[in-house]
C-alpha cells in the first residue's frame, strides 16, 4: 500500500500536464482516518470556475484506488483562495522548461503562502520569454490555452508562449 499523500501528490494537472497538483499548490491536505482507513483529500481550485476540477477529483480517486486506498473523499475548499504564491519552486521550473512563463514568486522559498486579503496584487507589465530569456515581450491576448493563462509573444525570438497569470 502506497502512502496516500505520495499517491495524490503525483497527480498531474489535466490542463498543464507538466506539473502536479501538489507543485501547482492546489493540494491542501491528505488525511487518513486511523480507525476507518478512509482518506480525505482537500483541494483548492486555481479559480472558482476552473473546468478541470471534475477531472482532478476523478484522477485523485483513481490514484488513491491504485495505491490501495479505495475509500476516499475529495473536498474542495475556497478559503483561503488559491494564489500563484502556492506554486512550488520545482513547479515554476517545470513551467519554464515547458515554455510557460511562470508568474513571479512574491515570497521566499520555504515560507508559507501569503493570502491576498488586504494586499496589492502586482500588475504584470513585462514577462521574460521562457524560450530565450528576453524581456522584450508583448501580450497578444489576455487569455491563452486556458483561462488561467495569457498569450504572449517574444519580440526577440518571435515565438508565442503562455504566461500563467499572477493571482
Amino acid at each position: 500500500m502506497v502512502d496516500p499523500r505520495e499517491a495524490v501528490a503525483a497527480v498531474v494537472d489535466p490542463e498543464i500536464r507538466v506539473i502536479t497538483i501538489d507543485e501547482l499548490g492546489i493540494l491542501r491536505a491528505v488525511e487518513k482516518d486511523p480507525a476507518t482507513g478512509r482518506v480525505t483529500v482537500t483541494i483548492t481550485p486555481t479559480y472558482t470556475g476552473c473546468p478541470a476540477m471534475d477531472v482532478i477529483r476523478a484522477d485523485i480517486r483513481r490514484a488513491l484506488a491504485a495505491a490501495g486506498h479505495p475509500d476516499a473523499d475529495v473536498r474542495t475548499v475556497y478559503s483561503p483562495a488559491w494564489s500563484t504564491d502556492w506554486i512550488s519552486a520545482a513547479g515554476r521550473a517545470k513551467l519554464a522548461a515547458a515554455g510557460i512563463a511562470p508568474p513571479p514568486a512574491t515570497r521566499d522559498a520555504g515560507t508559507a503562502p501569503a493570502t491576498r486579503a488586504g494586499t496589492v496584487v502586482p500588475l504584470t507589465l513585462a514577462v521574460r520569454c521562457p524560450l530565450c530569456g528576453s524581456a522584450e515581450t508583448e501580450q497578444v491576448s489576455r487569455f491563452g490555452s486556458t483561462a488561467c493563462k495569457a498569450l504572449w509573444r517574444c519580440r526577440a525570438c518571435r515565438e508565442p508562449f503562455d504566461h500563467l497569470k499572477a493571482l
Side-chain angles (χ1 to χ4, degrees):
M1 192 176 302
V2 177
D3 175 62
R5 170 90 176 134
E6 288 179 31
V8 175
V11 170
V12 175
D13 180 81
E15 291 183 330
I16 309 173
R17 306 287 308 164
V18 299
I19 190 171
T20 68
I21 62 171
D22 189 40
E23 294 163 334
L24 188 55
I26 67 171
L27 177 58
R28 300 276 300 277
V30 179
E31 300 165 338
K32 183 176 178 181
D33 185 322
T36 65
R38 184 173 182 80
V39 175
T40 301
V41 177
T42 306
I43 55 176
T44 297
T46 56
Y47 68 99
T48 305
C50 179
M53 293 310 293
D54 288 337
V55 174
I56 291 170
R57 284 188 210 62
D59 289 350
I60 288 170
R61 287 188 182 96
R62 193 172 8 265
L64 285 169
H69 307 280
D71 191 18
D73 182 31
V74 181
R75 296 182 181 166
T76 303
V77 297
Y78 299 97
S79 181
W82 179 86
S83 162
T84 50
D85 286 346
W86 292 12
I87 302 172
S88 70
R92 289 174 196 282
K94 285 183 177 181
L95 289 170
I100 301 170
T106 59
R107 64 182 173 90
D108 294 331
T111 61
T115 60
R116 294 284 187 185
T119 63
V120 176
V121 176
L123 176 64
T124 301
L125 298 176
V127 175
R128 285 208 174 273
C129 174
L131 306 170
C132 75
S134 173
E136 295 297 318
T137 61
E138 61 186 343
Q139 187 178 60
V140 175
S141 173
R142 288 183 46 87
F143 297 98
S145 58
T146 64
C148 59
K149 294 184 275 186
L151 181 61
W152 285 67
R153 175 177 41 232
C154 179
R155 290 185 180 131
C157 71
R158 307 297 299 161
E159 291 294 323
F161 62 92
D162 280 331
H163 167 62
L164 196 63
K165 297 174 188 175
L167 293 175

